[in-house]
Amino acid sequence: MVVDATRPLPIDALAILPTSVTSLTTRDLSFQWMQVTGDLATVDADGTIDSSLLLTDASGAAIVFRAGVLTPGAQYEIRVQAYDPRATPAISPGSTSLSFFVNEAPTPGTLETDLTEGVALETEFTITATGWSDAATDLPLEFAMYVDYTGAVPDEAAELTPADVQLVASALQERSQSPSVVTRLDESSSANGTVVLYTLVSDRLGATAVGWTTVTVSAALNDTELQDPDVVANFVEQKRAQLVAEAQASSDITGVLRAAASLAQILNGAS
């Protein structure tokens, strides 16, 4: 069995124990969950799994491992022992083991752009994830693209998670087998015009790796131009006509709506 380390992992004892055990009601039994093989923290010589790794009671009929506690690429064997606590001494009607392998995220490639700088709402950037790979059994890969206009550049040494990206960035492209997207970007809210682009690369089983890069996007109108009603009106009319034409020619309605929202922001800034 292959599992995803980025998601909680439930294991139900009643689904894997012998019928002679599962025929008993769960209220008559207690359970001990132990590690036979793996790198999980344990609390005793029996290998009882540390309850801090779980989202559930460690002695219940079912346990759920927290997301992130399993090591990608590792092999685990978990053993569950059922006990009848009413007996003196306590007796065990049965036990069983479950082995599983933790899926690894795709091997990182790069996120590249055809241009390193451009003008908001005017320059078309081609953003491409290249060189990402995975085991043949984990294919195909899917690519999601995100953008953060705050200019907050991640630490080069940071190991970003999908949740980290989704917390600060908005989607440019939902998960797709296409590793590339062509889009116009808004202007950055940072003084130096930095825009951070992200890709989330997922395999067939859901394991996901993160890549990122930066571009510089300058404002379509400078402060002086924003104070001139004729300049602003002319710019808005040109962009309005462009958006209408793109909406008719393209299925990327989300991108068109995003550009329209950016245009509204320019109008607000000029008023």
Side-chain angles (χ1 to χ4, degrees), residues 49-138:
I49 295 169
D50 190 329
S51 61
S52 67
L53 305 178
L54 306 174
L55 294 171
T56 52
D57 181 8
S59 62
I63 60 171
V64 180
F65 284 103
R66 295 179 181 276
V69 302
L70 301 174
T71 302
Q75 181 82 33
Y76 293 89
E77 182 181 353
I78 303 299
R79 181 168 176 259
V80 59
Q81 185 91 37
Y83 290 94
D84 183 350
R86 299 171 301 173
T88 306
I91 60 173
S92 173
S95 67
T96 193
S97 296
L98 175 69
S99 296
F100 55 87
F101 175 76
V102 184
N103 184 33
E104 293 185 271
T107 301
T110 59
L111 184 63
E112 301 176 353
T113 58
D114 60 335
L115 303 170
T116 58
E117 58 183 36
V119 178
L121 301 179
E122 295 185 5
T123 304
E124 279 196 340
F125 290 88
T126 299
I127 308 164
T128 306
T130 62
W132 298 77
S133 62
D134 209 337
T137 53
D138 294 347

Side-chain angles (χ1 to χ4, degrees), residues 111 144-146 148 152 154 160 165 168-169 196-200 210-212:
L111 184 63
M145 303 293 184
Y146 286 78
D148 176 15
L160 297 175
V165 174
V168 300
V196 184
L197 302 169
Y198 295 94
T199 185
L200 304 185
V210 178
W212 61 273

Side-chain angles (χ1 to χ4, degrees), residues 181-200:
V181 63
V182 178
T183 186
R184 294 184 180 88
L185 298 171
D186 298 347
E187 66 180 274
S188 172
S189 59
S190 67
N192 60 7
T194 298
V195 170
V196 184
L197 302 169
Y198 295 94
T199 185
L200 304 185

